[in-house]
Amino acid sequence: MENVWDATKLMFIIYGLGAIVSFLVAWVIKLTFIAIRAHGARGEAGDAQAAPAKTGPQGGA
């Protein structure tokens, strides 16, 4: 690369690719945390529904 402008264009291309990869990784991490929270909320809802059935009246006179 004899020209400064060619080196500058290459720098911008590499910087842009790095930014795109960074945003993609951040997006994947965000989706992972959303999935974990949804899974935890679903488990808590299942426990809340199962608990009254177990602790309800035992029946009898």
Side-chain angles (χ1 to χ4, degrees):
M1 277 182 236
E2 299 175 17
N3 194 343
V4 174
W5 179 242
D6 288 337
T8 305
K9 288 193 294 188
L10 180 63
M11 179 192 70
F12 284 133
I13 290 171
I14 291 173
Y15 179 80
L17 289 174
I20 290 171
V21 169
S22 175
F23 280 119
L24 288 175
V25 169
W27 182 67
V28 168
I29 291 171
K30 185 175 181 177
L31 288 179
T32 302
F33 277 101
I34 289 172
I36 290 170
R37 285 184 185 161
H39 182 69
R42 184 175 33 197
E44 290 175 5
D47 291 343
Q49 290 176 353
K54 293 180 181 177
T55 58
Q58 297 298 322

